[in-house]
Amino acid sequence: MSYQVNRRNRDRGESRNKRGVSVIIGYILLVAIVVAISVGVYTWMKSYVPQDALQCPDGVSVSIPDYTYDCATNQLNLSIQNSGTFSIAGYFIKATNNSGLTLATIDLTPYYHGTGSLANNAILFSSYLSGLNSKDPGAKVPQEGNTFSIPSYYGKILRIEITPARYVTYNNKIRFATCGNAIVSERLSCS
Amino acid sequence: MKRGVSPVIATVLLIALVVGLSVIVFLWFRSFTQETITKFGGQNIELSCGQLAISAEYSGGQLAISNTGNVPIYSFNVRVDGSGGNYSTSDISVLVNSWPSSGLNQGGTFQGTMSGVSGASDIVLIPVLKGSTNNGELKSYTCSDQYGYKVTV
């Protein structure tokens, strides 16, 4: 009798303990699994969080007030003015000698002689790599500051395209941005 | 002996089975997923495809391309669309002469003679970008067709 009571009590106690422990372990396991899955999904998906694209503000604009193009020597002098509302750092300049194509694809940067400097396939207004947008709105670079001695094998240049560029802060870094929405084009005629 | 294995051994066996099965399922599933390639400090390269800006045209056997955006383009897959819905896809370096090995950086342009497009109605330039994997290894990534640039030939 006494043995049966003891065993019943022991069994009750054991089963009660087992239930208690399993519930706590169940919760811990559940929380641990949820946390682990959350960490995994975050790690997997974090690269898909969109960031702002590297781009120029809308108010960037340049113009070509005047130019001189000597067809005999293939030398081009042009003045550039910042006609926008933001300061700019430099520009890309391309030319075309093909009347069938509207895109200008000849890079004139290697043939540049002027007061600026070259970087990232672009011409910077500053004479050194300052990382600054050195031409304020309204500022103008005269023709003497932008001379291009274009090799004769290109033949006559028909048109040039200028794309302004500026330094912008992107992901806490200063990056050089092309202002593709502010391209200006000029049809050339011999002086 | 009649009661079978002890609870400790049963638990260890259970955990070992679960871990073993998890590893097998993980290795099997991993082969179905692409390795993550990122650009610009952690952004998935798929998102960079949506930030591309290019202009292109074809005339008299000449193909001209200009990268007017801020995402460098490593290469293009060119889909040549023929009549009757037929098409073929090739790397641009196969179809044009002198494609620059570094691709088209910011403000970069290309012009070259293109072959293999006779009889085609148009071509689609599908950008190929370069990004880095988690190991820091550089890998190319072909954008999906929706980011292709259609040029009439």
Side-chain angles (χ1 to χ4, degrees):
Chain A
M1 182 67 180
S2 165
Y3 168 74
Q4 283 179 341
V5 169
N6 284 343
R7 198 178 66 175
R8 197 162 52 235
N9 288 342
R10 192 185 65 208
D11 288 349
R12 276 182 195 158
E14 275 181 4
S15 64
R16 223 180 284 135
N17 283 341
K18 273 183 185 172
R19 271 202 299 271
V21 169
S22 71
V23 168
I24 290 170
I25 289 175
Y27 281 126
I28 291 171
L29 276 174
L30 199 67
V31 171
I33 288 168
V34 167
V35 169
I37 290 174
S38 308
V39 169
V41 169
Y42 171 75
T43 309
W44 178 45
M45 294 296 288
K46 72 174 177 184
S47 69
Y48 285 93
V49 177
Q51 300 171 0
D52 290 334
L54 173 65
Q55 59 186 7
C56 280
D58 281 339
V60 171
S61 174
V62 290
S63 58
I64 305 169
D66 48 78
Y67 72 89
T68 312
Y69 178 44
D70 187 338
C71 291
T73 60
N74 238 10
Q75 181 161 311
L76 172 68
N77 300 307
L78 58 106
S79 63
I80 294 179
Q81 186 165 21
N82 181 356
S83 51
T85 52
F86 289 89
S87 55
I88 54 176
Y91 62 94
F92 295 90
I93 181 165
K94 312 287 178 191
T96 181
N97 56 1
N98 188 331
S99 56
L101 292 171
T102 54
L103 273 181
T105 54
I106 301 170
D107 186 10
L108 296 187
T109 312
Y111 317 119
Y112 170 75
H113 308 284
T115 53
S117 56
L118 305 180
N120 305 316
N121 296 322
I123 296 166
L124 301 182
F125 294 121
S126 171
S127 57
Y128 58 96
L129 303 178
S130 59
L132 294 172
N133 299 311
S134 57
K135 281 289 171 248
D136 292 330
K140 181 180 171 182
V141 180
Q143 285 193 23
E144 306 80 64
N146 283 310
T147 301
F148 298 89
S149 301
I150 304 163
S152 57
Y153 55 76
Y154 282 121
K156 188 185 172 192
I157 298 298
L158 301 175
R159 198 168 49 80
I160 56 168
E161 270 184 13
I162 288 181
T163 309
R166 72 190 308 269
Y167 288 103
V168 296
T169 305
Y170 181 75
N171 282 350
N172 299 320
K173 287 180 186 170
I174 294 178
R175 293 277 311 271
F176 194 64
T178 312
C179 305
N181 52 352
I183 297 174
V184 288
S185 178
E186 182 78 31
R187 189 167 290 278
L188 297 183
S189 54
C190 300
S191 305
Chain B
M1 284 300 286
K2 277 182 184 174
R3 284 184 298 185
V5 294
S6 74
V8 174
I9 292 173
T11 309
V12 170
L13 274 175
L14 200 66
I15 290 172
L17 275 172
V18 168
V19 170
L21 278 174
S22 308
V23 169
I24 289 167
V25 168
F26 173 74
L27 291 176
W28 173 66
F29 188 72
R30 201 171 60 167
S31 63
F32 291 100
T33 58
Q34 282 189 330
E35 191 176 18
T36 304
I37 306 175
T38 57
K39 206 168 174 64
F40 300 133
Q43 179 178 263
N44 196 291
I45 204 162
E46 284 180 55
L47 299 177
S48 298
C49 292
Q51 296 169 355
L52 288 166
I54 57 171
S55 300
E57 65 175 321
Y58 178 86
S59 175
Q62 294 282 307
L63 177 69
I65 307 172
S66 176
N67 181 359
T68 55
N70 288 298
V71 180
I73 299 168
Y74 174 61
S75 181
F76 286 98
N77 274 350
V78 182
R79 196 183 75 205
V80 181
D81 293 340
S83 55
N86 297 324
Y87 67 89
S88 62
T89 306
S90 313
D91 189 89
I92 193 167
S93 59
V94 176
L95 299 175
V96 301
N97 58 337
S98 65
W99 174 256
S101 58
S102 58
L104 297 181
N105 289 324
Q106 282 175 291
T109 51
F110 168 80
Q111 184 181 334
T113 307
M114 190 172 200
S115 59
V117 292
S118 58
S121 57
D122 49 54
I123 58 172
V124 180
L125 301 171
I126 301 161
V128 179
L129 309 181
K130 249 191 174 171
S132 47
T133 62
N134 291 335
N135 309 327
E137 186 188 349
L138 280 177
K139 264 199 165 177
S140 57
Y141 174 83
T142 305
C143 295
S144 60
D145 285 10
Q146 63 173 313
Y147 300 110
Y149 189 94
K150 197 172 190 175
V151 181
T152 305
V153 297

PDB file of all heavy atoms in Angstrom, chain A residues 94-127:
ATOM      1  N   LYS A  94      32.014  65.273 -75.622  1.00  0.00           N
ATOM      2  CA  LYS A  94      32.056  64.280 -76.696  1.00  0.00           C
ATOM      3  C   LYS A  94      31.752  65.003 -78.016  1.00  0.00           C
ATOM      4  O   LYS A  94      31.087  66.042 -78.014  1.00  0.00           O
ATOM      5  CB  LYS A  94      30.993  63.188 -76.486  1.00  0.00           C
ATOM      6  CG  LYS A  94      30.950  62.602 -75.099  1.00  0.00           C
ATOM      7  CD  LYS A  94      32.110  61.696 -74.813  1.00  0.00           C
ATOM      8  CE  LYS A  94      32.034  61.176 -73.378  1.00  0.00           C
ATOM      9  NZ  LYS A  94      33.261  60.504 -72.976  1.00  0.00           N
ATOM     10  N   ALA A  95      32.218  64.413 -79.104  1.00  0.00           N
ATOM     11  CA  ALA A  95      31.995  65.016 -80.415  1.00  0.00           C
ATOM     12  C   ALA A  95      31.589  63.938 -81.401  1.00  0.00           C
ATOM     13  O   ALA A  95      31.774  62.744 -81.147  1.00  0.00           O
ATOM     14  CB  ALA A  95      33.280  65.705 -80.882  1.00  0.00           C
ATOM     15  N   THR A  96      31.033  64.375 -82.515  1.00  0.00           N
ATOM     16  CA  THR A  96      30.722  63.421 -83.584  1.00  0.00           C
ATOM     17  C   THR A  96      31.154  63.992 -84.927  1.00  0.00           C
ATOM     18  O   THR A  96      31.046  65.200 -85.165  1.00  0.00           O
ATOM     19  CB  THR A  96      29.225  63.056 -83.621  1.00  0.00           C
ATOM     20  OG1 THR A  96      29.011  62.108 -84.666  1.00  0.00           O
ATOM     21  CG2 THR A  96      28.338  64.256 -83.843  1.00  0.00           C
ATOM     22  N   ASN A  97      31.663  63.107 -85.771  1.00  0.00           N
ATOM     23  CA  ASN A  97      32.030  63.487 -87.143  1.00  0.00           C
ATOM     24  C   ASN A  97      31.191  62.710 -88.138  1.00  0.00           C
ATOM     25  O   ASN A  97      31.488  62.694 -89.322  1.00  0.00           O
ATOM     26  CB  ASN A  97      33.526  63.215 -87.388  1.00  0.00           C
ATOM     27  CG  ASN A  97      33.878  61.755 -87.115  1.00  0.00           C
ATOM     28  OD1 ASN A  97      33.011  60.952 -86.766  1.00  0.00           O
ATOM     29  ND2 ASN A  97      35.140  61.422 -87.266  1.00  0.00           N
ATOM     30  N   ASN A  98      30.157  62.041 -87.633  1.00  0.00           N
ATOM     31  CA  ASN A  98      29.320  61.169 -88.454  1.00  0.00           C
ATOM     32  C   ASN A  98      27.936  61.798 -88.582  1.00  0.00           C
ATOM     33  O   ASN A  98      27.222  61.964 -87.584  1.00  0.00           O
ATOM     34  CB  ASN A  98      29.238  59.786 -87.774  1.00  0.00           C
ATOM     35  CG  ASN A  98      28.551  58.762 -88.631  1.00  0.00           C
ATOM     36  OD1 ASN A  98      27.684  59.090 -89.442  1.00  0.00           O
ATOM     37  ND2 ASN A  98      28.929  57.508 -88.457  1.00  0.00           N
ATOM     38  N   SER A  99      27.570  62.134 -89.803  1.00  0.00           N
ATOM     39  CA  SER A  99      26.279  62.805 -89.985  1.00  0.00           C
ATOM     40  C   SER A  99      25.107  61.833 -89.816  1.00  0.00           C
ATOM     41  O   SER A  99      23.971  62.251 -89.620  1.00  0.00           O
ATOM     42  CB  SER A  99      26.206  63.450 -91.371  1.00  0.00           C
ATOM     43  OG  SER A  99      26.445  62.460 -92.358  1.00  0.00           O
ATOM     44  N   GLY A 100      25.399  60.521 -89.872  1.00  0.00           N
ATOM     45  CA  GLY A 100      24.328  59.538 -89.752  1.00  0.00           C
ATOM     46  C   GLY A 100      23.965  59.211 -88.311  1.00  0.00           C
ATOM     47  O   GLY A 100      22.906  58.639 -88.049  1.00  0.00           O
ATOM     48  N   LEU A 101      24.837  59.545 -87.385  1.00  0.00           N
ATOM     49  CA  LEU A 101      24.585  59.235 -85.968  1.00  0.00           C
ATOM     50  C   LEU A 101      24.309  60.512 -85.190  1.00  0.00           C
ATOM     51  O   LEU A 101      24.994  61.528 -85.378  1.00  0.00           O
ATOM     52  CB  LEU A 101      25.793  58.523 -85.348  1.00  0.00           C
ATOM     53  CG  LEU A 101      26.094  57.096 -85.837  1.00  0.00           C
ATOM     54  CD1 LEU A 101      27.436  56.630 -85.302  1.00  0.00           C
ATOM     55  CD2 LEU A 101      24.999  56.144 -85.385  1.00  0.00           C
ATOM     56  N   THR A 102      23.322  60.450 -84.338  1.00  0.00           N
ATOM     57  CA  THR A 102      23.027  61.629 -83.516  1.00  0.00           C
ATOM     58  C   THR A 102      23.809  61.605 -82.211  1.00  0.00           C
ATOM     59  O   THR A 102      23.977  62.631 -81.571  1.00  0.00           O
ATOM     60  CB  THR A 102      21.523  61.713 -83.186  1.00  0.00           C
ATOM     61  OG1 THR A 102      21.146  60.467 -82.586  1.00  0.00           O
ATOM     62  CG2 THR A 102      20.692  61.946 -84.421  1.00  0.00           C
ATOM     63  N   LEU A 103      24.292  60.425 -81.796  1.00  0.00           N
ATOM     64  CA  LEU A 103      25.056  60.340 -80.553  1.00  0.00           C
ATOM     65  C   LEU A 103      26.502  60.773 -80.795  1.00  0.00           C
ATOM     66  O   LEU A 103      27.122  60.344 -81.769  1.00  0.00           O
ATOM     67  CB  LEU A 103      25.073  58.902 -80.032  1.00  0.00           C
ATOM     68  CG  LEU A 103      23.933  58.439 -79.147  1.00  0.00           C
ATOM     69  CD1 LEU A 103      24.158  56.992 -78.736  1.00  0.00           C
ATOM     70  CD2 LEU A 103      23.834  59.303 -77.908  1.00  0.00           C
ATOM     71  N   ALA A 104      27.023  61.585 -79.913  1.00  0.00           N
ATOM     72  CA  ALA A 104      28.431  61.988 -79.999  1.00  0.00           C
ATOM     73  C   ALA A 104      29.258  61.002 -79.175  1.00  0.00           C
ATOM     74  O   ALA A 104      28.988  60.811 -77.983  1.00  0.00           O
ATOM     75  CB  ALA A 104      28.588  63.397 -79.466  1.00  0.00           C
ATOM     76  N   THR A 105      30.226  60.373 -79.821  1.00  0.00           N
ATOM     77  CA  THR A 105      30.973  59.316 -79.122  1.00  0.00           C
ATOM     78  C   THR A 105      32.488  59.544 -79.083  1.00  0.00           C
ATOM     79  O   THR A 105      33.198  58.767 -78.470  1.00  0.00           O
ATOM     80  CB  THR A 105      30.711  57.949 -79.781  1.00  0.00           C
ATOM     81  OG1 THR A 105      31.003  58.051 -81.170  1.00  0.00           O
ATOM     82  CG2 THR A 105      29.274  57.502 -79.599  1.00  0.00           C
ATOM     83  N   ILE A 106      32.979  60.598 -79.744  1.00  0.00           N
ATOM     84  CA  ILE A 106      34.436  60.848 -79.711  1.00  0.00           C
ATOM     85  C   ILE A 106      34.748  61.653 -78.444  1.00  0.00           C
ATOM     86  O   ILE A 106      34.263  62.780 -78.274  1.00  0.00           O
ATOM     87  CB  ILE A 106      34.891  61.628 -80.958  1.00  0.00           C
ATOM     88  CG1 ILE A 106      34.541  60.850 -82.237  1.00  0.00           C
ATOM     89  CG2 ILE A 106      36.396  61.907 -80.893  1.00  0.00           C
ATOM     90  CD1 ILE A 106      34.733  61.664 -83.512  1.00  0.00           C
ATOM     91  N   ASP A 107      35.537  61.061 -77.593  1.00  0.00           N
ATOM     92  CA  ASP A 107      35.889  61.735 -76.337  1.00  0.00           C
ATOM     93  C   ASP A 107      36.995  62.749 -76.611  1.00  0.00           C
ATOM     94  O   ASP A 107      38.088  62.386 -77.054  1.00  0.00           O
ATOM     95  CB  ASP A 107      36.361  60.681 -75.322  1.00  0.00           C
ATOM     96  CG  ASP A 107      36.612  61.283 -73.957  1.00  0.00           C
ATOM     97  OD1 ASP A 107      36.243  62.463 -73.750  1.00  0.00           O
ATOM     98  OD2 ASP A 107      37.169  60.573 -73.088  1.00  0.00           O
ATOM     99  N   LEU A 108      36.717  64.024 -76.350  1.00  0.00           N
ATOM    100  CA  LEU A 108      37.701  65.071 -76.622  1.00  0.00           C
ATOM    101  C   LEU A 108      38.614  65.350 -75.425  1.00  0.00           C
ATOM    102  O   LEU A 108      39.515  66.180 -75.515  1.00  0.00           O
ATOM    103  CB  LEU A 108      36.995  66.371 -77.033  1.00  0.00           C
ATOM    104  CG  LEU A 108      36.189  66.337 -78.340  1.00  0.00           C
ATOM    105  CD1 LEU A 108      35.688  67.736 -78.695  1.00  0.00           C
ATOM    106  CD2 LEU A 108      37.032  65.785 -79.482  1.00  0.00           C
ATOM    107  N   THR A 109      38.371  64.677 -74.329  1.00  0.00           N
ATOM    108  CA  THR A 109      39.156  64.940 -73.110  1.00  0.00           C
ATOM    109  C   THR A 109      40.671  64.785 -73.327  1.00  0.00           C
ATOM    110  O   THR A 109      41.432  65.617 -72.833  1.00  0.00           O
ATOM    111  CB  THR A 109      38.692  63.994 -71.972  1.00  0.00           C
ATOM    112  OG1 THR A 109      37.278  64.047 -71.915  1.00  0.00           O
ATOM    113  CG2 THR A 109      39.260  64.409 -70.642  1.00  0.00           C
ATOM    114  N   PRO A 110      41.126  63.753 -74.062  1.00  0.00           N
ATOM    115  CA  PRO A 110      42.591  63.606 -74.222  1.00  0.00           C
ATOM    116  C   PRO A 110      43.236  64.761 -74.980  1.00  0.00           C
ATOM    117  O   PRO A 110      44.457  64.904 -74.925  1.00  0.00           O
ATOM    118  CB  PRO A 110      42.736  62.299 -75.005  1.00  0.00           C
ATOM    119  CG  PRO A 110      41.447  61.582 -74.836  1.00  0.00           C
ATOM    120  CD  PRO A 110      40.411  62.637 -74.685  1.00  0.00           C
ATOM    121  N   TYR A 111      42.438  65.553 -75.690  1.00  0.00           N
ATOM    122  CA  TYR A 111      43.002  66.612 -76.526  1.00  0.00           C
ATOM    123  C   TYR A 111      42.825  67.988 -75.883  1.00  0.00           C
ATOM    124  O   TYR A 111      42.928  69.010 -76.547  1.00  0.00           O
ATOM    125  CB  TYR A 111      42.328  66.579 -77.916  1.00  0.00           C
ATOM    126  CG  TYR A 111      42.183  65.164 -78.430  1.00  0.00           C
ATOM    127  CD1 TYR A 111      40.933  64.621 -78.705  1.00  0.00           C
ATOM    128  CD2 TYR A 111      43.300  64.349 -78.595  1.00  0.00           C
ATOM    129  CE1 TYR A 111      40.800  63.306 -79.141  1.00  0.00           C
ATOM    130  CE2 TYR A 111      43.180  63.038 -79.026  1.00  0.00           C
ATOM    131  CZ  TYR A 111      41.932  62.525 -79.294  1.00  0.00           C
ATOM    132  OH  TYR A 111      41.803  61.228 -79.709  1.00  0.00           O
ATOM    133  N   TYR A 112      42.556  67.984 -74.605  1.00  0.00           N
ATOM    134  CA  TYR A 112      42.262  69.228 -73.874  1.00  0.00           C
ATOM    135  C   TYR A 112      43.539  69.948 -73.447  1.00  0.00           C
ATOM    136  O   TYR A 112      44.497  69.333 -72.983  1.00  0.00           O
ATOM    137  CB  TYR A 112      41.432  68.883 -72.637  1.00  0.00           C
ATOM    138  CG  TYR A 112      41.242  70.005 -71.651  1.00  0.00           C
ATOM    139  CD1 TYR A 112      40.360  71.045 -71.915  1.00  0.00           C
ATOM    140  CD2 TYR A 112      41.937  70.023 -70.448  1.00  0.00           C
ATOM    141  CE1 TYR A 112      40.186  72.067 -71.006  1.00  0.00           C
ATOM    142  CE2 TYR A 112      41.761  71.040 -69.530  1.00  0.00           C
ATOM    143  CZ  TYR A 112      40.884  72.062 -69.825  1.00  0.00           C
ATOM    144  OH  TYR A 112      40.715  73.071 -68.931  1.00  0.00           O
ATOM    145  N   HIS A 113      43.564  71.254 -73.651  1.00  0.00           N
ATOM    146  CA  HIS A 113      44.618  72.111 -73.099  1.00  0.00           C
ATOM    147  C   HIS A 113      43.889  73.286 -72.464  1.00  0.00           C
ATOM    148  O   HIS A 113      43.197  74.021 -73.162  1.00  0.00           O
ATOM    149  CB  HIS A 113      45.552  72.642 -74.191  1.00  0.00           C
ATOM    150  CG  HIS A 113      46.112  71.572 -75.071  1.00  0.00           C
ATOM    151  ND1 HIS A 113      47.127  70.740 -74.667  1.00  0.00           N
ATOM    152  CD2 HIS A 113      45.774  71.180 -76.321  1.00  0.00           C
ATOM    153  CE1 HIS A 113      47.399  69.893 -75.647  1.00  0.00           C
ATOM    154  NE2 HIS A 113      46.582  70.125 -76.655  1.00  0.00           N
ATOM    155  N   GLY A 114      44.024  73.436 -71.190  1.00  0.00           N
ATOM    156  CA  GLY A 114      43.322  74.549 -70.561  1.00  0.00           C
ATOM    157  C   GLY A 114      43.726  74.723 -69.119  1.00  0.00           C
ATOM    158  O   GLY A 114      44.740  74.173 -68.661  1.00  0.00           O
ATOM    159  N   THR A 115      42.914  75.469 -68.409  1.00  0.00           N
ATOM    160  CA  THR A 115      43.250  75.810 -67.025  1.00  0.00           C
ATOM    161  C   THR A 115      42.768  74.765 -66.025  1.00  0.00           C
ATOM    162  O   THR A 115      43.094  74.849 -64.853  1.00  0.00           O
ATOM    163  CB  THR A 115      42.598  77.169 -66.671  1.00  0.00           C
ATOM    164  OG1 THR A 115      41.200  77.077 -66.987  1.00  0.00           O
ATOM    165  CG2 THR A 115      43.229  78.299 -67.459  1.00  0.00           C
ATOM    166  N   GLY A 116      41.997  73.803 -66.505  1.00  0.00           N
ATOM    167  CA  GLY A 116      41.459  72.793 -65.597  1.00  0.00           C
ATOM    168  C   GLY A 116      42.335  71.563 -65.502  1.00  0.00           C
ATOM    169  O   GLY A 116      43.507  71.573 -65.897  1.00  0.00           O
ATOM    170  N   SER A 117      41.771  70.489 -64.988  1.00  0.00           N
ATOM    171  CA  SER A 117      42.508  69.225 -64.852  1.00  0.00           C
ATOM    172  C   SER A 117      41.608  68.080 -65.312  1.00  0.00           C
ATOM    173  O   SER A 117      40.398  68.262 -65.493  1.00  0.00           O
ATOM    174  CB  SER A 117      42.935  69.015 -63.399  1.00  0.00           C
ATOM    175  OG  SER A 117      41.812  69.067 -62.548  1.00  0.00           O
ATOM    176  N   LEU A 118      42.187  66.919 -65.493  1.00  0.00           N
ATOM    177  CA  LEU A 118      41.434  65.764 -65.984  1.00  0.00           C
ATOM    178  C   LEU A 118      41.238  64.729 -64.878  1.00  0.00           C
ATOM    179  O   LEU A 118      42.173  64.445 -64.125  1.00  0.00           O
ATOM    180  CB  LEU A 118      42.164  65.095 -67.157  1.00  0.00           C
ATOM    181  CG  LEU A 118      42.528  65.988 -68.342  1.00  0.00           C
ATOM    182  CD1 LEU A 118      43.248  65.185 -69.412  1.00  0.00           C
ATOM    183  CD2 LEU A 118      41.287  66.643 -68.937  1.00  0.00           C
ATOM    184  N   ALA A 119      40.035  64.201 -64.800  1.00  0.00           N
ATOM    185  CA  ALA A 119      39.764  63.117 -63.832  1.00  0.00           C
ATOM    186  C   ALA A 119      38.494  62.402 -64.245  1.00  0.00           C
ATOM    187  O   ALA A 119      37.552  63.042 -64.731  1.00  0.00           O
ATOM    188  CB  ALA A 119      39.597  63.683 -62.430  1.00  0.00           C
ATOM    189  N   ASN A 120      38.445  61.100 -64.055  1.00  0.00           N
ATOM    190  CA  ASN A 120      37.249  60.299 -64.356  1.00  0.00           C
ATOM    191  C   ASN A 120      36.745  60.523 -65.773  1.00  0.00           C
ATOM    192  O   ASN A 120      35.536  60.605 -66.007  1.00  0.00           O
ATOM    193  CB  ASN A 120      36.110  60.631 -63.367  1.00  0.00           C
ATOM    194  CG  ASN A 120      36.517  60.468 -61.937  1.00  0.00           C
ATOM    195  OD1 ASN A 120      37.156  59.502 -61.584  1.00  0.00           O
ATOM    196  ND2 ASN A 120      36.165  61.445 -61.109  1.00  0.00           N
ATOM    197  N   ASN A 121      37.628  60.645 -66.746  1.00  0.00           N
ATOM    198  CA  ASN A 121      37.264  60.910 -68.143  1.00  0.00           C
ATOM    199  C   ASN A 121      36.524  62.234 -68.307  1.00  0.00           C
ATOM    200  O   ASN A 121      35.805  62.421 -69.273  1.00  0.00           O
ATOM    201  CB  ASN A 121      36.390  59.781 -68.727  1.00  0.00           C
ATOM    202  CG  ASN A 121      37.132  58.478 -68.784  1.00  0.00           C
ATOM    203  OD1 ASN A 121      38.327  58.457 -69.077  1.00  0.00           O
ATOM    204  ND2 ASN A 121      36.444  57.389 -68.497  1.00  0.00           N
ATOM    205  N   ALA A 122      36.675  63.118 -67.345  1.00  0.00           N
ATOM    206  CA  ALA A 122      36.008  64.414 -67.409  1.00  0.00           C
ATOM    207  C   ALA A 122      37.049  65.522 -67.239  1.00  0.00           C
ATOM    208  O   ALA A 122      38.191  65.273 -66.847  1.00  0.00           O
ATOM    209  CB  ALA A 122      34.954  64.519 -66.312  1.00  0.00           C
ATOM    210  N   ILE A 123      36.612  66.736 -67.546  1.00  0.00           N
ATOM    211  CA  ILE A 123      37.475  67.903 -67.357  1.00  0.00           C
ATOM    212  C   ILE A 123      36.958  68.657 -66.140  1.00  0.00           C
ATOM    213  O   ILE A 123      35.770  69.024 -66.085  1.00  0.00           O
ATOM    214  CB  ILE A 123      37.439  68.800 -68.610  1.00  0.00           C
ATOM    215  CG1 ILE A 123      38.035  68.029 -69.794  1.00  0.00           C
ATOM    216  CG2 ILE A 123      38.197  70.097 -68.368  1.00  0.00           C
ATOM    217  CD1 ILE A 123      37.751  68.652 -71.142  1.00  0.00           C
ATOM    218  N   LEU A 124      37.823  68.846 -65.171  1.00  0.00           N
ATOM    219  CA  LEU A 124      37.440  69.579 -63.973  1.00  0.00           C
ATOM    220  C   LEU A 124      37.840  71.042 -64.136  1.00  0.00           C
ATOM    221  O   LEU A 124      38.901  71.340 -64.690  1.00  0.00           O
ATOM    222  CB  LEU A 124      38.140  69.005 -62.736  1.00  0.00           C
ATOM    223  CG  LEU A 124      37.875  67.534 -62.407  1.00  0.00           C
ATOM    224  CD1 LEU A 124      38.599  67.150 -61.118  1.00  0.00           C
ATOM    225  CD2 LEU A 124      36.384  67.281 -62.261  1.00  0.00           C
ATOM    226  N   PHE A 125      37.011  71.939 -63.638  1.00  0.00           N
ATOM    227  CA  PHE A 125      37.327  73.366 -63.725  1.00  0.00           C
ATOM    228  C   PHE A 125      38.516  73.703 -62.831  1.00  0.00           C
ATOM    229  O   PHE A 125      39.294  74.591 -63.131  1.00  0.00           O
ATOM    230  CB  PHE A 125      36.109  74.202 -63.318  1.00  0.00           C
ATOM    231  CG  PHE A 125      34.955  74.058 -64.272  1.00  0.00           C
ATOM    232  CD1 PHE A 125      33.727  73.589 -63.836  1.00  0.00           C
ATOM    233  CD2 PHE A 125      35.100  74.372 -65.608  1.00  0.00           C
ATOM    234  CE1 PHE A 125      32.668  73.450 -64.713  1.00  0.00           C
ATOM    235  CE2 PHE A 125      34.044  74.237 -66.506  1.00  0.00           C
ATOM    236  CZ  PHE A 125      32.825  73.781 -66.049  1.00  0.00           C
ATOM    237  N   SER A 126      38.618  72.995 -61.738  1.00  0.00           N
ATOM    238  CA  SER A 126      39.711  73.257 -60.809  1.00  0.00           C
ATOM    239  C   SER A 126      41.008  72.677 -61.379  1.00  0.00           C
ATOM    240  O   SER A 126      41.002  71.657 -62.061  1.00  0.00           O
ATOM    241  CB  SER A 126      39.389  72.601 -59.463  1.00  0.00           C
ATOM    242  OG  SER A 126      40.497  72.650 -58.631  1.00  0.00           O
ATOM    243  N   SER A 127      42.117  73.332 -61.093  1.00  0.00           N
ATOM    244  CA  SER A 127      43.400  72.867 -61.620  1.00  0.00           C
ATOM    245  C   SER A 127      43.961  71.706 -60.812  1.00  0.00           C
ATOM    246  O   SER A 127      44.978  71.148 -61.145  1.00  0.00           O
ATOM    247  CB  SER A 127      44.406  74.016 -61.634  1.00  0.00           C
ATOM    248  OG  SER A 127      44.531  74.520 -60.330  1.00  0.00           O
TER     249      SER A 127
END
